[in-house]
Amino acid sequence: MAKILFLDESGDHSLSIIDPQFSVFVLCGVIMDEEYHRNIATEKLDAFKMGLLGNREIILHTADFTRNKSGFEAMSNHEFRTDFFNALQDVIRGLEFRIVACVIKKEHHLQKYGLNALDPYLLSLSVVVERFIFECGSAGGTIVAEARNPTLNNALDLAFLDLKIRGTTFISATKIQRRIHNFAIRQKKDNIAGLQIADVVATPIGRHAMGKTTYPTLLRSGRFFPRCETQVPEGLGREDRGKGTRNTS
C-alpha cells in the first residue's frame, strides 16, 4: 500500500540566529498509509476538533493553540486547556502512523562545521527522505511538505530536485526517482490531517532533544513525548531515546 510522508518543522532553520530557549531545528515526518489518511485519520482528527472546538475547519497549529489564538481562544481557560491536551494526546496514541524526525542542534552544528555547515532544513530533508524510502519499500510513496514563504518553497523544490539528481549518502538518485512518486508543497489552510499531526509532534520532539518536557502540568501522564515515541519506527537512524529520531549535531 502506498504511503505518504507529511513534513513539518519546529524551530528556525537559520544558523545566524539561535534562540537559546529553542536552540534546535526539527524536521518531523509523519508516515501514513494513503487510504488510512484519507479516511480514518482525517475523520478522527475532524471528530476531535468538532468535539472540543465545534469546528472541523480550525487548523491544529502549535503556535496557535499554545498562544490561545486563531480559533483556540478557549485555551485561556485552564480546565479547557487541560482537557484539550489530554484529548490531543489520546488522538496521537490512537492513530496509526510512524514518525521519522531529524533534530539539528544548531550550536553544535556550527561549532563542528563552521562556514561549511549545511542549512538545517536541507540537511534534515536528506536524512528524513532516506528513512522514508527505507520505510515504504518498493511500493514507494508521496511526500507532502508544508508551505513556507515563496523563496523557501523554491529552495525546497530545488533541494528535492538535487536529491533526485545526486542521491544521498545511503540512497542512490535512481532509487529516489523510483520510490518517490510525487513531491508536493501544500498550504496550512488546506486542512490536511497529516500535516497537522506532524506540526503537533514536532515541537515535543525538539523539546525532548533539549531535555525538556512538553505540557507537563496539563497532562495526566506528566509529559507528551512518550505518546510520540510509541509511533517511531524501529531501527531508523541513530537513537536519541526515541527510535528513528535522528539527532544531528
Side-chain angles (χ1 to χ4, degrees):
M1 184 178 294
K3 296 182 184 293
I4 305 179
L5 171 68
F6 297 97
L7 293 176
D8 200 5
E9 73 223 52
S10 182
D12 191 334
H13 70 105
S14 172
L15 290 173
S16 60
I17 301 173
I18 300 179
D19 180 358
Q21 298 302 313
F22 200 84
S23 58
V24 301
F25 174 80
V26 183
L27 185 63
C28 178
V30 163
I31 302 171
M32 284 191 190
D33 290 332
E34 185 174 350
E35 185 176 349
Y36 178 86
H37 174 263
R38 183 171 56 251
N39 297 315
I40 297 172
T42 298
E43 290 174 4
K44 287 188 175 183
L45 204 64
D46 282 350
F48 164 78
K49 289 191 280 188
M50 284 298 296
L52 278 170
L53 305 168
N55 185 353
R56 63 171 54 90
E57 299 303 320
I58 292 176
I59 308 299
L60 281 180
H61 184 207
T62 300
D64 292 337
F65 62 67
T66 56
R67 293 176 174 83
N68 314 335
K69 64 178 186 178
S70 301
F72 295 96
E73 288 75 12
M75 295 286 281
S76 60
N77 178 279
H78 180 77
E79 184 177 350
F80 180 88
R81 196 174 185 86
T82 299
D83 290 344
F84 175 88
F85 281 118
N86 281 284
L88 180 60
Q89 181 163 248
D90 289 342
V91 169
I92 296 298
R93 180 171 51 191
L95 288 172
E96 295 178 12
F97 66 93
R98 312 298 292 277
I99 296 170
V100 58
C102 183
V103 180
I104 306 290
K105 294 182 176 179
K106 297 197 294 181
E107 289 180 343
H108 295 171
H109 186 53
L110 269 177
Q111 289 170 7
K112 186 171 183 178
Y113 298 105
L115 295 176
N116 294 318
L118 295 175
D119 177 275
Y121 194 109
L122 304 184
L123 174 58
S124 300
L125 180 67
S126 66
V127 171
V128 173
V129 168
E130 278 177 0
R131 279 140 186 81
F132 177 54
I133 287 175
F134 293 146
E135 178 75 9
C136 66
S138 60
T142 293
I143 299 175
V144 178
E146 182 162 285
R148 300 180 290 168
N149 64 49
T151 299
L152 293 176
N153 289 345
N154 288 337
L156 180 55
D157 274 328
L158 290 172
F160 183 69
L161 179 60
D162 186 66
L163 290 178
K164 291 173 67 176
I165 294 171
R166 299 172 183 267
T168 72
T169 304
F170 301 105
I171 301 290
S172 70
T174 300
K175 182 172 284 188
I176 292 175
Q177 293 167 23
R178 287 202 312 263
R179 297 282 179 89
I180 306 301
H181 304 150
N182 187 35
F183 181 86
I185 298 176
R186 299 290 298 272
Q187 298 291 330
K188 189 178 292 293
K189 66 181 181 181
D190 292 340
N191 199 7
I192 297 170
L195 288 179
Q196 292 172 77
I197 295 165
D199 178 290
V200 166
V201 302
T203 296
I205 288 172
R207 290 179 62 83
H208 177 74
M210 294 188 294
K212 299 180 179 181
T213 55
T214 303
Y215 320 131
T217 63
L218 297 168
L219 294 170
R220 290 184 292 271
S221 65
R223 53 197 292 248
F224 190 82
F225 189 78
R227 298 311 180 203
C228 301
E229 279 184 312
T230 62
Q231 306 290 354
V232 179
E234 298 282 345
L236 296 183
R238 194 165 66 229
E239 292 186 352
D240 180 29
R241 296 189 188 175
K243 299 181 180 65
T245 303
R246 183 166 178 177
N247 186 8
T248 303
S249 298

